Amino acid sequence: MGISKSAFRRYRIIDKMLKNKFRPYPNLEDIQNACAEHLEFCPSLDTLEKDIRNMKQSDVLDAPIVYCRKNKGYYYSNPNFSINTIPLTDDDILTIKESLDLIKNLGGSNRVNERFSYAIQKILSAFKEEFPEGNIERKIIQTDYVEGAKGFENFNKLLEACKNQQPLSFVHYSYSKRKFSSVIAHPIRLKEFDNKWYLIAYSERHEALRTFGLDRIYEPNLLKRKYIRVPNQEVEHYCTDIYGVYPIENQLKQEITFLTSIDVTNYFEAYPIHSSQKAEKNNSGSSFFTINVVPSMELIRLFRSYGRHLEVIHPDWLRKQTKSLK
C-alpha cells in the first residue's frame, strides 16, 4: 500500500509522540493538537484514528501500536520500534540490489549513475549488505547506451542547479547554425528522451522556456542573481504535452491523426507514443491513431521513419511535411 506525503508527515508526528517518555500514552486529542502545531492544517480525529489503523497494517509500517484502556492513550508494545528504523526484509534488499543494477545500466556516464548507486549502497551498508570487489555477476538488464556521449561531465552541476533553483550561464553550441552563443538560464528540470539528456530552463534571451541538449552545453557557471520562476502548469505543459523535446515554433497543442498499415499497427498499440494516444482499428487490420500534443521535430522524424506504413491524416500542414520525403 502506498503512503501519501501528507499521511507520512502525520505518521511521523504520531511516531514521535508514542516514543516520548516524558509524555506517555497520548490520546487522539493530544495527537491532533501536535499536528495542528507542526502542520499547516488540523486533521480530524477520524483521520488520525484511520492513520493509526493504517500504521498497524503489515503492508504499511507494521507498527506495534496498542491502546491502553487504563491510561486512555496509545503506546508501542515494542519500545524500540520507530518508523525511522524499519528493518529491510530479504525481498526488500533484493529489490534494492536490482534497482542498483538498473541504475548502473541506464544511459549516462559513470558520474551520473555513481551519484545514485552510491546512495543506494549507503542504504544497504546500514544493513551490513556488502558489495564484494571484483565479483562478476551475470548481467540480466541492459540498456542501449554507447560510452563516450558528450555532456555528462556537467550532469551533477546542472542537477544541483535545478534542485537549488540557481541561475547559471553557459556556452551553447548550435549544430544547425554551427556557432556558439552565450546563454543565461534558470534551470528547471533534466529530461531524458531517446537515450539523450536535456536541460529544460527559462532562457533570459528568449524570455521563455527552452530545451538545451547536454552535449551542447559548455562551461556552465552558477550565478548570484534572482531566480525567475515559471508556473508549474506551464512547465508541465512544456514537458509532457509533447513527443520529444523540441516543439515546433508557433505551434500549439493540437489533435493529430495518423493511419498505420497492418504491418505496424500492433507496434503502436503495444508502445503508445504519448499518454493521450487513442486507437480506432479497421476491419482490415490497419488503424487510425489520434494524439493530442504540441508538434515537435522528433514527431516528424518518427512519422517519416515509417515511410509508406504511416500516413498523417490531420492536420494538413503536418501531412504535407511528413509526405515530402516519402
Side-chain angles (χ1 to χ4, degrees):
M1 180 185 295
I3 303 176
S4 68
K5 184 177 180 180
S6 59
F8 190 74
R9 291 174 67 189
R10 297 194 300 271
Y11 294 174
R12 292 188 66 180
I13 291 176
I14 294 172
D15 176 71
K16 187 175 181 180
M17 296 190 70
L18 294 181
K19 294 186 69 64
N20 188 345
K21 296 179 180 180
F22 298 100
R23 298 184 63 183
Y25 305 106
N27 56 34
L28 290 177
E29 287 80 7
D30 296 330
I31 297 173
Q32 185 183 51
N33 292 334
C35 288
E37 181 180 351
H38 295 94
L39 305 178
E40 57 271 11
F41 64 94
C42 181
S44 67
L45 297 179
D46 289 340
T47 296
L48 295 175
E49 192 172 20
K50 182 180 178 182
D51 285 342
I52 291 175
R53 286 201 305 269
N54 289 339
M55 291 175 68
K56 293 169 66 174
Q57 293 182 21
S58 60
D59 61 342
V60 181
L61 296 173
D62 201 18
I65 302 176
V66 180
Y67 182 77
C68 178
R69 295 184 181 277
K70 179 181 177 181
N71 295 286
K72 298 181 179 180
Y74 296 91
Y75 70 100
Y76 280 143
S77 60
N78 176 6
N80 295 321
F81 178 87
S82 172
I83 65 173
N84 297 317
T85 57
I86 301 172
L88 295 179
T89 65
D90 290 342
D91 286 342
D92 293 333
I93 292 174
L94 178 60
T95 300
I96 292 176
K97 284 184 175 181
E98 289 173 349
S99 300
L100 179 58
D101 187 32
L102 177 60
I103 288 173
K104 287 180 178 179
N105 281 277
L106 287 176
S109 70
N110 290 333
R111 298 189 184 188
V112 178
N113 59 46
E114 280 178 3
R115 177 188 181 91
F116 300 105
S117 62
Y118 175 69
I120 291 180
Q121 290 195 38
K122 283 181 66 178
I123 293 173
L124 291 178
S125 66
F127 292 88
K128 298 181 173 58
E129 282 292 320
E130 296 182 355
F131 293 79
E133 291 293 332
N135 181 28
I136 301 176
E137 298 181 353
R138 181 168 57 94
K139 180 179 287 188
I140 59 174
I141 299 175
Q142 181 175 349
T143 56
D144 184 20
Y145 172 72
V146 178
E147 284 292 339
K150 296 179 180 178
F152 288 105
E153 64 274 11
N154 299 318
F155 186 92
N156 286 342
K157 178 178 283 190
L158 298 177
L159 178 62
E160 289 301 318
C162 291
K163 287 171 57 179
N164 299 327
Q165 297 185 327
Q166 188 166 0
L168 48 79
S169 64
F170 55 83
V171 176
H172 179 259
Y173 181 71
S174 172
Y175 289 145
S176 58
K177 298 179 182 178
R178 296 187 177 183
K179 70 174 185 178
F180 292 91
S181 61
S182 60
V183 174
I184 296 179
H186 300 254
I188 299 172
R189 181 177 300 180
L190 289 171
K191 180 179 179 179
E192 185 270 343
F193 176 77
D194 197 23
N195 214 15
K196 300 180 181 68
W197 284 88
Y198 302 86
L199 173 68
I200 309 298
Y202 177 86
S203 167
E204 288 195 7
R205 181 165 65 89
H206 299 95
E207 297 185 340
L209 291 171
R210 283 294 185 270
T211 301
F212 304 95
L214 262 62
D215 57 308
R216 304 167 211 183
I217 294 177
Y218 296 86
E219 301 178 5
N221 292 299
L222 300 178
L223 302 176
K224 293 183 178 179
R225 59 197 296 156
K226 185 177 180 181
Y227 182 82
I228 298 177
R229 298 177 184 273
V230 179
N232 287 336
Q233 186 175 0
E234 186 177 342
V235 174
E236 290 305 318
H237 167 72
Y238 184 88
C239 293
T240 61
D241 291 345
I242 188 174
Y243 171 85
V245 289
Y246 290 114
I248 296 177
E249 195 170 357
N250 300 323
Q251 288 293 335
L252 301 176
K253 182 179 179 181
Q254 56 195 273
E255 187 174 275
I256 296 171
T257 304
F258 57 96
L259 174 66
T260 57
S261 71
I262 187 173
D263 296 321
V264 300
T265 289
N266 289 338
Y267 177 82
F268 279 91
E269 288 179 338
Y271 298 97
I273 62 175
H274 192 262
S275 59
S276 64
Q277 180 174 302
K278 296 179 182 179
E280 183 180 336
K281 204 161 188 176
N282 302 320
N283 294 332
S284 63
S286 63
S287 186
F288 286 98
F289 289 94
T290 60
I291 54 175
N292 197 8
V293 297
V294 177
S296 65
M297 298 303 299
E298 293 81 10
L299 184 63
I300 290 178
R301 284 198 291 266
L302 175 71
F303 285 164
R304 285 176 172 173
S305 69
Y306 283 94
R308 60 183 178 83
H309 293 289
L310 186 149
E311 180 182 0
V312 174
I313 306 300
H314 176 82
D316 190 57
W317 70 268
L318 185 57
R319 174 184 174 87
K320 292 177 181 177
Q321 282 222 12
T322 54
K323 288 186 70 175
S324 61
L325 293 184
K326 292 182 181 179

